[in-house]
Amino acid sequence: DQQVKQNSPSLSVQEGRISILNCDYTNSMFDYFLWYKKYPAEGPTFLISISSIKDKNEDGRFTVFLNKSAKHLSLHIVPSQPGDSAVYFCAASAVDQFYFGTGTSLTVIP
Amino acid sequence: DAGVTQSPTHLIKTRGQHVTLRCSPISGHKSVSWYQQVLGQGPQFIFQYYEKEERGRGNFPDRFSARQFPNYSSELNVNALLLGDSALYLCASSLFSQLNSGNTIYFGEGSWLTVV
């Protein structure tokens, strides 16, 4: 039972444009959400997080939006750069553990 | 400061064998958790240890076990290896137990296990 879902396996964006990565979840008990970036042959790198008491968190080019009523979060990258090309995982935590989505592979085209 | 370190980085084992994977957390972090990532999937939670005690276990068979040492490093052991155990095994560390909201986990590079 996949409690965190990333329905887009891949996304291609032109350099300089906005990248929007989406994530849906089913468990209303989730209270903390994170995004990780993963390059091939490396472990996931923490990118940005948001608490369930907020609806937006910004860090440089990265902004995460949380819509609790829709059980949906998104990661915006503006402007997108070729170095952003990687697999992005969203994750959610409840009381006991972190749950991860299946990832979205982002390709930023120069 | 060193991040999360894992060893070995790559290994090949035969079905039925046993494997031990090792992890050293970020200095000052007392919580270590283990995740399995199969190709095309997201990381799946296996275990979490905090202050040397098991705090959580995912939906994995008893062939999987782990422990945490007084210096907060950790080992993941897998017995009677199956072909389906082939995966990237990730260790993550955090300051606090994952039971607390707002706790960020930081991953190591992973150990690639291939079972043949």
Side-chain angles (χ1 to χ4, degrees):
Chain A
D1 182 25
Q2 193 76 16
Q3 299 192 50
V4 178
K5 299 179 183 179
Q6 293 176 258
N7 293 318
S8 298
S10 62
L11 174 68
S12 292
V13 172
Q14 289 285 338
E15 180 179 3
R17 306 293 286 268
I18 184 171
S19 295
I20 299 176
L21 295 94
N22 294 302
C23 180
D24 296 297
Y25 62 95
T26 58
N27 190 340
S28 58
M29 297 299 293
F30 288 150
D31 58 4
Y32 188 53
F33 304 87
L34 309 92
W35 284 94
Y36 287 84
K37 179 167 83 170
K38 187 179 185 301
Y39 293 117
E42 294 185 9
T45 302
F46 169 70
L47 202 54
I48 192 169
S49 63
I50 187 167
S51 166
S52 60
I53 63 174
K54 296 185 176 181
D55 54 19
K56 177 182 174 181
N57 188 26
E58 194 171 350
D59 183 3
R61 297 185 298 114
F62 302 92
T63 303
V64 56
F65 295 92
L66 175 63
N67 182 334
K68 289 188 292 294
S69 61
K71 294 190 177 67
H72 176 84
L73 67 156
S74 61
L75 174 68
H76 293 209
I77 306 174
V78 183
S80 300
Q81 300 174 352
D84 295 329
S85 297
V87 177
Y88 289 78
F89 292 98
C90 66
S93 74
V95 177
D96 54 352
Q97 62 179 270
F98 282 89
Y99 297 83
F100 285 81
T102 53
T104 297
S105 178
L106 173 65
T107 302
V108 180
I109 304 164
Chain B
D1 284 341
V4 179
T5 57
Q6 293 186 242
S7 63
T9 54
H10 294 81
L11 68 167
I12 300 173
K13 291 286 189 177
T14 304
R15 276 179 301 176
Q17 284 189 316
H18 164 270
V19 68
T20 297
L21 307 177
R22 295 177 176 83
C23 171
S24 292
I26 293 170
S27 178
H29 285 194
K30 298 181 178 180
S31 174
V32 169
S33 51
W34 288 94
Y35 287 78
Q36 180 197 65
Q37 186 176 14
V38 174
L39 201 63
Q41 299 295 317
Q44 296 289 318
F45 174 72
I46 310 176
F47 284 110
Q48 192 241 345
Y49 277 78
Y50 179 71
E51 287 281 16
K52 301 177 285 296
E53 291 186 0
E54 181 182 306
R55 289 298 188 94
R57 171 187 279 258
N59 189 23
F60 281 80
D62 291 343
R63 299 184 296 107
F64 288 76
S65 63
R67 55 179 176 168
Q68 187 177 31
F69 299 99
N71 65 353
Y72 303 108
S73 66
S74 177
E75 280 183 356
L76 175 69
N77 295 282
V78 187
N79 293 323
L81 285 167
L82 303 173
L83 295 179
D85 295 331
S86 297
L88 174 65
Y89 288 85
L90 294 162
C91 175
S93 80
S94 56
L95 273 171
F96 308 112
S97 164
Q98 286 188 171
L99 300 178
N100 296 331
S101 174
N103 192 30
T104 299
I105 60 173
Y106 299 90
F107 287 95
E109 298 292 302
S111 293
W112 287 94
L113 170 65
T114 301
V115 182
V116 297

